[in-house]
Amino acid sequence: MSENVAGTPAAAIEWLTMPDLVEALDVPLGRVRRLIDEHYLVGSRRTGVFAVPAIFIVDGHPLSSLRGTVIALQDAGFSDDELIDWLLEEEETLGRSPIEALLAGHKSEVRRIARTLA
């Protein structure tokens, strides 16, 4: 069952726990852990249970442009919680949230902004 993480900018976002990710991605738990370790997905333990925003999954796969963006934000010094918040909050220069821009195929613009945050 998914978890809603209250008290964050992403409170309205559906969050997927590890069992949810296994089901949503239709892969074994070990593969889910590898996707997280290799930055194809990123999650948080804000409620004590590790969970990933469901919006990071598209058609049963991690959003393809997420990995490079996560790595760029980590290189800029963002923690996982901070980069999740940044991806989900409206970014003034984009006029929408970075995740919405990534979903629309604008990864270059999102990563350009991410690199300036260092």
Side-chain angles (χ1 to χ4, degrees), residues 76-118:
F78 280 58
S79 70
D80 288 351
D81 285 340
E82 291 168 335
L83 73 86
I84 290 168
D85 289 344
W86 185 81
L87 286 166
L88 300 177
E89 291 175 344
E90 177 145 344
E91 170 61 43
E92 189 175 310
T93 55
L94 290 170
R96 58 187 163 180
S97 70
I99 194 66
E100 290 172 327
L102 290 175
L103 289 166
H106 299 200
K107 74 176 179 183
S108 296
E109 186 178 7
V110 171
R111 290 183 188 168
R112 177 185 53 77
I113 293 167
R115 284 190 295 274
T116 66
L117 300 173

Side-chain angles (χ1 to χ4, degrees), residues 11-83:
I13 297 291
E14 180 184 3
W15 291 72
L16 303 174
T17 62
M18 293 299 272
D20 295 329
L21 289 166
V22 167
E23 185 176 325
L25 298 170
D26 194 28
V27 296
L29 182 58
R31 176 71 178 137
V32 171
R33 287 189 173 135
R34 207 164 31 259
L35 289 169
I36 293 163
D37 289 345
E38 295 173 1
H39 310 292
Y40 288 96
L41 290 172
V42 63
S44 174
R45 291 188 183 274
R46 295 175 195 199
T47 62
V49 176
F50 183 84
V52 171
I55 197 167
F56 293 174
I57 308 289
V58 177
D59 296 329
H61 301 283
L63 176 63
S64 61
S65 56
L66 185 63
R67 182 174 191 256
T69 306
V70 166
I71 292 169
L73 290 166
Q74 288 173 333
D75 288 349
F78 280 58
S79 70
D80 288 351
D81 285 340
E82 291 168 335
L83 73 86

